[in-house]
Amino acid sequence: MAPSRTSQRALLMSAILGLASAVALPEKTAVPAKVEVRAPIVTPAAIRFDSRHSYLQKKDIINDIKSGVNGIAQSWGSRIGQDLPSFFTEGIPGWFEGLPTGTQVLSKLGINDGDLAAKPTEVLNVPPYANWTEQGWNVRFHGNVYKFPDISQSKVDDLANVFLIDTEVSKLPPDQQAQARNLTRSIFIVQQGDRNVSMSLEPSPSQGGDGEPGGGNSIAAPGGVQNFTLPYETTDQGDFDVFVPIQQNGLLPGTGSNTNVQRLNVYTNGTLSGNATAFLVPNEGITFISDIDDILRVTKIYDPKEGLLNSFARPFTPWLNMPDVYRNWSSTLPNNTHFHYLTTTPEQATRLYMDFIYKTYPGGSFDTRPLNFSDVSATLSIRMFLLKKVFETFPQRKFVLVADTSNSDVMKAYPQLAHDHPNQVQCILLRNTSATDPDMWFPYNTEGFKGLNSKMYMFFREPNDLHGLDISNGQCLNATIPQNVTFDRQTDGKFRLGSAGATLQGSATVSFIVALVATMVMIM
Ligand SMILES: *[C@@H]1O[C@H](CO)[C@@H](O)[C@H](O)[C@H]1NC(C)=O
Ligand SMILES: *[C@@H]1O[C@H](CO)[C@@H](O)[C@H](O)[C@H]1NC(C)=O
Ligand SMILES: *[C@@H]1O[C@H](CO)[C@@H](O)[C@H](O)[C@H]1NC(C)=O
Ligand SMILES: *[C@@H]1O[C@H](CO)[C@@H](O)[C@H](O)[C@H]1NC(C)=O
Ligand SMILES: *[C@@H]1O[C@H](CO)[C@@H](O)[C@H](O)[C@H]1NC(C)=O
Ligand SMILES: *[C@@H]1O[C@H](CO)[C@@H](O)[C@H](O)[C@H]1NC(C)=O
Ligand SMILES: *[C@@H]1O[C@H](CO)[C@@H](O)[C@H](O)[C@H]1NC(C)=O
Ligand SMILES: *[C@@H]1O[C@H](CO)[C@@H](O)[C@H](O)[C@H]1NC(C)=O
Ligand SMILES: *[C@@H]1O[C@H](CO)[C@@H](O)[C@H](O)[C@H]1NC(C)=O
Ligand SMILES: *[C@@H]1O[C@H](CO)[C@@H](O)[C@H](O)[C@H]1NC(C)=O
Ligand SMILES: *[C@@H]1O[C@H](CO)[C@@H](O)[C@H](O)[C@H]1NC(C)=O
Ligand SMILES: *[C@@H]1O[C@H](CO)[C@@H](O)[C@H](O)[C@H]1NC(C)=O
């Protein structure tokens, strides 16, 4: 049986980083070893992924696969030549999967615990949201406690090169080098378990950065100053994620129809790296839950070579005039409007995402992928898990869900939420990525939309299609944008499955070959 899509994805990074053996090593701590099952089978790689090789040369790769080169066809079984594996057609190869954590980082870098002891403790404090309950405000603090090990610049560059195709860090312009090194350092951190985390809160006068001030007319909280320690220590992987009822100390309540979102600054005791803005969200109003890749920024996640450069090296770039659309929503919708950015990018990359969003889009709370969601079943369920938590926290709010069609989790989770919570989902707005990007050749599945009111969702082509929608009154569809929803797998003529095999057109071929190589690495 071929390994599942998720296991392929989970294997990618561990395979290319040569961590395949490290993951099986027992943890070097006093705590009983917790063996983390990341993937079913790990056999030595027949083809090593090396960013300095040009895979584009290998035009005959599909034939190689069909004829069983390196035994790959055997693991894919008879599907090759007839159909592509479902992880190909239902999802995007995930190069951010299976990143090393904790002791894996140490063993990979040959560093011992002693060298780390003297390093300062750092805290990633993911911008929280809070709901209003009978006990007052209830804030969801989540994030990670970690340390930076010493890694030489040349080692950082070697590690960064693994994430690039057809290029290397030394060949990039200086700003891109800086970003590739920044992200690589953020990935190779050592998470700190069993730590107590203490926070202090105070009013947040401004959102910070040059972006929109807090979404939907949020205001500095008129109080709330306090210090406290989270009720639990961090998990083995350094994560914390807990709702804490905070003291009122002058905060406004979250009831009433036109209550503003209130902002609090959150500081973490003992480090300058754990600052965040918390958003106290009233019971009623509209929350925009927005994915980030390929909807708020240009990622081209469906084109691995570009996707890797856009994620690891190039400065994040907004997608067309999408910031104008959000700015208009933020400034014209009622005061209780809230923005929540929910991406399944692993938490190690969170700072770059936050930095970009706060410079470009309205302020709001965040969710990224916590570390305990790296095993196979959890990877599949992470988006739904995070979305459900927001829905449960705000049972009276209405949600506008925004993302793009290249994301298979979204294509399942968003319509499912609309079926399960018909009174909470106001609109689903999906960028039809194939309409504007010929490189987007991954099929997407619209089956989940069957049975939903066709006026509550829209597949749009470009940000201007969203202009003038009366979101407050539930207008989600711009009647001038043709909708072609078949409630089935949609290929938009770019990619066909059938007995003759995959038919690819134009530039899709290049993407396809690169993607295939990335995928081969995943299988091995
Ligand atoms: C990387 O960049 C982010 C965003 O600009 C910044 O907050 C962070 O401190 C940088 N991290 C490192 C390790 O340089
Ligand atoms: C964390 O705080 C609790 C409660 O004060 C205490 O019992 C525990 O020992 C602390 N843990 C560490 C690692 O300091
Ligand atoms: C909305 O909030 C602003 C402050 O940001 C306030 O001036 C205005 O009166 C509020 N509007 C309503 C209708 O409450
Ligand atoms: C909170 O802790 C900070 C130091 O971390 C201290 O300066 C401040 O006075 C404390 N505030 C309260 C309200 O206890
Ligand atoms: C991850 O941790 C959170 C809270 O820390 C927990 O609610 C969740 O169930 C965990 N997920 C998995 C897959 O273990
Ligand atoms: C805050 O951190 C300092 C050391 O950085 C420590 O002495 C103090 O006890 C901490 N306060 C709390 C409330 O954890
Ligand atoms: C966090 O806030 C403190 C207090 O305002 C400030 O000194 C520090 O520079 C901030 N840290 C970062 C990374 O901005
Ligand atoms: C607030 O959020 C918590 C955590 O999701 C949830 O259990 C609770 O029901 C919410 N309270 C209200 C009043 O919505
Ligand atoms: C609909 O989309 C068109 C084309 O992008 C745009 O010009 C128009 O402003 C949008 N809004 C409405 C309400 O028609
Ligand atoms: C801005 O948003 C308001 C309220 O949603 C809407 O009425 C208006 O047409 C929008 N303007 C543009 C240019 O989209
Ligand atoms: C997306 O755009 C493509 C290309 O214009 C079109 O063929 C397809 O039908 C559109 N999908 C939907 C769901 O409207
Ligand atoms: C609608 O989608 C189907 C299947 O994806 C496609 O064959 C057809 O050409 C599309 N029609 C339009 C008008 O885009």
Side-chain angles (χ1 to χ4, degrees):
M1 193 189 80
S4 72
R5 166 169 68 97
T6 327
S7 65
Q8 314 288 354
R9 294 173 60 147
L11 256 174
L12 170 64
M13 290 312 303
S14 56
I16 65 183
L17 295 175
L19 281 167
S21 52
V23 293
L25 287 176
E27 306 254 323
K28 287 183 214 143
T29 58
V31 196
K34 190 178 144 204
V35 180
E36 198 179 347
V37 184
R38 279 178 177 266
I41 326 143
V42 179
T43 50
I47 297 175
R48 287 245 354 136
F49 180 90
D50 182 333
S51 57
R52 278 143 294 205
H53 289 174
S54 171
Y55 293 102
L56 305 184
Q57 308 298 321
K58 210 160 164 40
K59 297 262 192 257
D60 53 354
I61 194 160
I62 299 175
N63 287 333
D64 280 3
I65 289 176
K66 280 186 193 162
S67 64
V69 69
N70 299 318
I72 292 161
Q74 282 144 36
S75 65
W76 280 3
S78 56
R79 306 181 68 165
I80 295 296
Q82 291 173 11
D83 205 345
L84 283 164
S86 62
F87 64 86
F88 238 99
T89 58
E90 304 293 344
I92 304 292
W95 44 81
F96 265 148
E97 304 290 335
L99 298 174
T101 58
T103 51
Q104 293 169 10
V105 170
L106 290 178
S107 60
K108 170 82 183 154
L109 300 172
I111 294 171
N112 65 49
D113 278 341
D115 296 340
L116 258 190
K119 298 282 171 204
T121 299
E122 311 278 347
V123 175
L124 171 71
N125 193 355
V126 182
Y129 54 76
N131 69 348
W132 174 252
T133 70
E134 280 167 11
Q135 288 74 43
W137 288 103
N138 182 42
V139 188
R140 179 179 163 223
F141 293 97
H142 56 308
N144 187 258
V145 179
Y146 62 94
K147 291 187 174 196
F148 282 115
D150 272 329
I151 316 179
S152 68
Q153 179 83 346
S154 65
K155 183 73 183 174
V156 169
D157 287 2
D158 285 349
L159 294 167
N161 284 340
V162 175
F163 298 113
L164 303 170
I165 297 175
D166 281 349
T167 186
E168 56 187 85
V169 171
S170 63
K171 292 186 181 153
L172 298 173
D175 61 328
Q176 298 191 20
Q177 285 182 354
Q179 177 156 325
R181 288 170 179 152
N182 174 301
L183 191 50
T184 305
R185 280 199 197 276
S186 308
I187 288 170
F188 287 89
I189 55 178
V190 183
Q191 290 85 3
Q192 307 288 302
D194 307 320
R195 294 302 190 94
N196 281 315
V197 182
S198 298
M199 308 275 190
S200 59
L201 305 180
E202 64 177 39
S204 172
S206 79
Q207 180 58 35
D210 302 323
E212 284 286 292
N217 290 317
S218 72
I219 54 166
V225 174
Q226 58 199 284
N227 290 348
F228 55 88
T229 300
L230 299 185
Y232 307 107
E233 297 173 356
T234 56
T235 65
D236 288 354
Q237 292 163 317
D239 274 346
F240 56 91
D241 188 349
V242 61
F243 277 94
V244 178
I246 60 168
Q247 291 164 24
Q248 199 63 1
N249 296 354
L251 294 171
L252 300 173
T255 48
S257 63
N258 207 348
T259 318
N260 294 71
V261 173
Q262 299 169 75
R263 291 186 313 267
L264 281 173
N265 277 344
V266 187
Y267 301 101
T268 312
N269 186 38
T271 175
L272 295 180
S273 58
N275 300 356
T277 306
F279 293 82
L280 311 187
V281 183
N283 284 347
E284 291 170 33
I286 292 177
T287 291
F288 286 82
I289 301 186
S290 188
D291 191 27
I292 298 176
D293 287 306
D294 288 312
I295 178 73
L296 302 187
R297 81 173 185 105
V298 177
T299 312
K300 287 176 162 284
I301 212 153
Y302 35 84
D303 179 349
K305 185 173 157 179
E306 284 293 295
L308 285 165
L309 274 174
N310 288 332
S311 296
F312 279 91
R314 294 181 185 144
F316 283 18
T317 309
W319 178 53
L320 302 173
N321 57 334
M322 205 59 176
D324 295 338
V325 172
Y326 274 67
R327 183 177 303 119
N328 184 50
W329 286 339
S330 167
S331 59
T332 60
L333 288 170
N335 281 351
N336 54 11
T337 303
H338 166 226
F339 292 84
H340 181 64
Y341 300 96
L342 190 155
T343 159
T344 57
T345 203
E347 73 182 15
Q348 295 100 314
T350 304
R351 283 186 206 276
L352 277 180
Y353 279 73
M354 293 191 314
D355 189 55
F356 165 73
I357 290 295
Y358 288 158
K359 282 180 178 151
T360 325
Y361 287 97
S365 48
F366 259 80
D367 260 312
T368 52
R369 181 193 307 196
L371 291 175
N372 67 341
F373 275 90
S374 49
D375 79 27
V376 170
S377 62
T379 294
L380 260 192
S381 59
I382 178 63
R383 186 181 299 273
M384 200 53 165
F385 175 85
L386 296 173
L387 284 164
K388 274 188 179 156
K389 196 176 286 222
V390 183
F391 274 61
E392 278 164 19
T393 305
F394 302 105
Q396 297 175 64
R397 290 185 73 84
K398 306 280 185 201
F399 294 92
V400 175
L401 308 175
V402 190
D404 85 299
T405 52
S406 75
N407 191 320
S408 59
D409 304 2
V410 157
M411 296 302 290
K412 289 196 187 88
Y414 282 8
Q416 189 60 49
L417 284 165
H419 285 293
D420 295 348
H421 305 271
N423 296 325
Q424 280 178 282
V425 177
Q426 178 113 331
C427 295
I428 300 178
L429 302 173
L430 290 166
R431 172 188 173 199
N432 177 355
T433 315
S434 23
T436 46
D437 195 334
D439 294 332
M440 157 62 185
W441 58 275
F442 276 91
Y444 54 91
N445 198 322
T446 52
E447 197 177 353
F449 291 81
K450 198 180 240 168
L452 295 181
N453 177 346
S454 64
K455 290 203 165 65
M456 75 174 298
Y457 56 83
M458 170 165 66
F459 291 83
F460 65 97
R461 304 160 310 187
E462 48 141 344
N464 292 333
D465 298 353
L466 300 170
H467 275 161
L469 291 180
D470 186 359
I471 299 276
S472 287
N473 289 309
Q475 189 198 1
C476 314
L477 181 63
N478 179 336
T480 70
I481 312 304
Q483 302 289 301
N484 186 10
V485 182
T486 62
F487 307 113
D488 201 351
R489 179 186 285 175
Q490 302 201 207
T491 63
D492 299 347
K494 291 202 173 118
F495 182 94
R496 206 161 46 78
L497 297 172
S499 56
T503 307
L504 297 161
Q505 289 171 3
S507 62
T509 313
V510 170
S511 315
F512 173 74
I513 289 172
V514 178
L516 202 50
V517 171
T519 310
M520 287 164 61
V521 174
M522 287 188 269
I523 309 166
M524 292 175 295

